[in-house]
Amino acid sequence: MTDMAIRSMKDLPSAHLLGAGTSMCAGCGGLQAVHEIYDILGAKTVFVNAAGCMTLLSTYPFTPFRGGWLYTSMASASAGAQGIRDALDILRAKGRLAPEEDMTAVVLAGDGSTYGMGLSATSAAIERGLDFLYVCYDNEGYGNTGQQCSGATPHGARTATNARGFSGAKKDLFAIWVAHRPAYVATVVGAEPLDLAKKIQRAAGIKGPRLITALAPCPTGWDYDPRETVEIGRLAVRTGVWPLKEYVDGKVVHTKIPRPRLPVEDYLKTQGRFAHLFAPRRNETVLAEIQAGVDAYWAAIE
Ligand SMILES: Cc1ncc(C[n+]2csc(CCOP(=O)(O)OP(=O)(O)O)c2C)c(N)n1
Ligand code: SF4
Ligand SMILES: [Mg+2]
């Protein structure tokens, strides 16, 4: 499936995820991205899942995936991927797994694990050159336990642990990975499926440590109507809040440059987690800080 050229939406194969999502929130942007990613990766995947919302996809002994599923603690997914890769390599060396039956070890983890608890194990795995694909669905908080602040929470967002808005800034996961000189890094969002599909296809054809980080609009944690998930994902790109880009062969390339770039308020106003910035009175200071952060990013690119 991965040797197929994707030029338009009709080249995409039909969904392979069987009956998934019954225990997840309607409009889950993370699940949307996982659906799309799995459509491209196909059945020869072993998911290594760190505790989080996506853990609800598999209830032992059932899973909607045709490949494999290993559940790990929040800090251990990348170490789990090493174990899966090693086991597959041993089976191949013993002639018990034909090359065409080999599988890809795919970490599936939220931002809480990725930006925080699991970062050390991931850094070590990249350093060892582990052949794995890391998929982070980034809903910008510890969603499964009620949207507490994580290392991915953006400036100004209200969370269960920041009633008046987070005063810090989102970590730059893309830069953290690029600093390790891995094989591939890309940002995606489910609302831009063609861009996502091309990146997954490219990542699937490369060996070594690879990251796909998907912005995951989360109606429950971000406080909006589930029907707005796709529009919010598009606005994240069109306002420049979520740059779509990839790192390959030592270079960073932006795959979609928003022109004209919409004001960040168009994105912020769609979500209850930013409502305190607009009422009972506008918080001009924080609104200007958020816009200035996005402007500075694109000024360095353009
Ligand atoms: C060490 C540890 N602390 C706390 C928990 C409880 N816990 C389970 S899921 C979760 C949230 C994980 O957040 P994230 O990785 O962003 O995934 P999301 O829930 O947003 O999908 C937490 C805190 C845990 N499983 N392990
Ligand atoms: S809390 Fe958010 S990320 Fe978790 S299942 Fe619900 S919508 Fe998806
Ligand atoms: Mg999360």
Side-chain angles (χ1 to χ4, degrees):
M1 195 174 304
T2 52
D3 55 1
M4 180 191 72
I6 297 168
R7 294 189 195 85
S8 74
M9 292 302 294
K10 36 181 217 319
D11 292 329
L12 292 175
S14 56
H16 284 259
L17 216 54
L18 306 172
T22 46
S23 54
M24 312 206 36
C25 310
C28 175
L31 185 59
Q32 179 194 24
V34 171
H35 258 284
E36 293 170 6
I37 291 167
Y38 188 60
D39 273 353
I40 309 297
L41 291 179
K44 288 182 185 165
T45 45
V46 181
F47 283 100
V48 183
N49 171 242
C53 285
M54 295 302 150
T55 303
L56 301 174
L57 285 173
S58 291
T59 309
Y60 182 82
F62 303 106
T63 161
F65 301 100
R66 292 176 193 266
W69 180 273
L70 173 70
Y71 171 69
T72 70
S73 69
M74 286 186 68
S76 314
S78 294
Q82 178 80 59
I84 294 294
R85 188 62 260 159
D86 289 350
L88 290 164
D89 288 345
I90 289 167
L91 289 174
R92 283 195 54 181
K94 289 184 171 175
R96 289 170 56 193
L97 186 71
E100 64 275 14
E101 289 174 347
D102 201 1
M103 303 179 84
T104 306
V106 179
V107 166
L108 179 60
D111 51 285
S113 293
T114 304
Y115 289 68
M117 289 188 213
L119 193 52
S120 165
T122 303
S123 177
I126 307 170
E127 198 176 310
R128 291 191 302 271
L130 178 64
D131 181 21
F132 76 134
L133 177 63
Y134 194 117
V135 175
C136 170
Y137 61 97
D138 182 358
N139 63 1
E140 304 188 320
Y142 289 91
N144 188 244
T145 44
Q147 197 71 1
Q148 293 83 16
C149 188
S150 80
T153 299
H155 186 54
R158 179 173 44 76
T159 74
T161 42
N162 308 94
R164 278 179 264 163
F166 178 49
S167 58
K170 184 180 179 81
K171 280 188 202 171
D172 189 345
L173 182 70
F174 188 94
I176 292 169
W177 264 72
V178 165
H180 289 73
R181 299 181 183 278
Y184 186 72
V185 185
T187 60
V188 300
V189 61
E192 296 284 353
L194 192 54
D195 178 82
L196 178 149
K198 287 177 178 169
K199 288 168 175 168
I200 301 301
Q201 188 182 41
R202 191 161 301 138
I206 298 174
K207 295 259 181 227
R210 292 153 283 162
L211 170 71
I212 297 289
T213 179
L215 184 69
C218 168
T220 310
W222 296 10
D223 187 13
Y224 67 84
D225 190 305
R227 79 183 75 181
E228 300 301 328
T229 290
V230 172
E231 184 57 18
I232 289 173
R234 285 185 188 140
L235 280 170
V237 175
R238 293 182 65 201
T239 56
V241 166
W242 186 251
L244 292 176
K245 56 185 173 179
E246 62 185 353
Y247 165 88
V248 64
D249 295 333
K251 290 197 191 80
V252 176
V253 175
H254 285 77
T255 54
K256 201 160 203 165
I257 297 181
R259 286 195 186 109
R261 189 153 42 82
L262 300 177
V264 289
E265 283 191 28
D266 291 7
Y267 171 73
L268 303 177
K269 277 181 177 160
T270 59
Q271 301 156 53
R273 64 178 175 155
F274 295 113
H276 59 285
L277 300 180
F278 298 98
R281 70 192 70 82
R282 285 173 62 87
N283 188 332
E284 299 293 357
T285 306
V286 174
L287 289 169
E289 285 167 356
I290 297 171
Q291 185 67 65
V294 172
D295 290 347
Y297 176 87
W298 289 101
I301 306 299
E302 290 165 342

